[in-house]
Amino acid sequence: MSDELTLPEGYEISYDTERIDVERVHRWLSTDAYWAIGRPREKQESAIRGSLNFGVFEARSGQQVAYARVVTDRATFAWLCDVYVDPSARGKGVGTALVEAVREHLRPYGLRRILLATHDAHGLYAKHGFAPLAKPDEWMALVFE
C-alpha cells in the first residue's frame, strides 16, 4: 500500500480472502448492486475464489463494510469489479481509500491496464486516474444471455 493511502480512522483494509464475509458480500451485491442483482450465492463464491479480494473492516468490531475484487493475470491486465460500500460507511472516504488500495496493490505487477465498468461512479474513479477508453471502437464484448 502507498504511504499516501488515507483510510478513515477506525477502518482497516485486508487482502486476505479468508476474512471476506461471503454472506454479507453476496447479500450486498445480489440485492443492492445494479450489476449483480439476483446473482446466485454459488456464482459469487466462485467469483471470490477466482479473484484477488479486498475488504474494508471496522477495526474494533471486525465487521466488513466494503468490498472489491480484481480479476487479473497479474502480468498484463486487470478488471476491477464488484466495488461496494455498505450504506453505513458511505460518505466517509472508505470507497476512495479502497480504490486507492487496490490500485497500489496492483502497481508492482506492472500491468498495462486496469479496466472497470461503472454506471454512476465516474467521478470517484477519475480521482484515481481512470478515464474513458481512448478508443472504445477497438473494444468488443461477447455477452452470454
Side-chain angles (χ1 to χ4, degrees):
M1 239 180 304
S2 165
D3 291 338
E4 299 173 17
L5 178 62
T6 307
L7 187 61
E9 189 173 334
Y11 294 96
E12 60 186 17
I13 291 181
S14 175
Y15 313 111
D16 182 359
T17 298
E18 296 300 314
R19 285 193 68 188
I20 299 301
D21 183 338
V22 177
E23 175 60 36
R24 178 172 266 241
V25 168
H26 175 255
R27 185 176 63 251
W28 283 338
L29 297 178
S30 68
T31 65
D32 192 41
Y34 66 85
W35 65 90
I37 297 292
R39 181 182 289 168
R41 168 83 184 248
E42 302 78 34
K43 185 73 73 177
Q44 187 63 53
E45 290 174 357
S46 181
I48 289 170
R49 281 192 306 273
S51 302
L52 293 176
N53 297 279
F54 301 82
V56 178
F57 302 85
E58 290 180 344
R60 281 193 167 152
S61 70
Q63 183 176 26
Q64 187 169 351
V65 298
Y67 175 74
R69 71 183 181 90
V70 175
V71 180
T72 183
D73 61 8
R74 294 179 173 87
T76 62
F77 176 83
W79 175 267
L80 172 60
C81 53
D82 287 347
V83 179
Y84 187 91
V85 178
D86 188 83
S88 69
R90 291 180 188 165
K92 299 178 180 180
V94 169
T96 297
L98 177 58
V99 173
E100 186 176 336
V102 169
R103 185 191 68 205
E104 293 308 310
H105 186 84
L106 295 175
R107 188 180 300 278
Y109 294 140
L111 302 171
R112 183 168 176 169
R113 67 180 47 92
I114 301 169
L115 292 180
L116 63 85
T118 183
H119 177 72
D120 58 357
H122 296 81
L124 169 73
Y125 295 110
K127 292 177 187 176
H128 299 285
F130 286 89
L133 293 173
K135 298 179 182 179
D137 55 314
E138 293 182 3
W139 292 84
M140 297 179 72
L142 174 60
V143 179
F144 292 103
E145 306 235 5

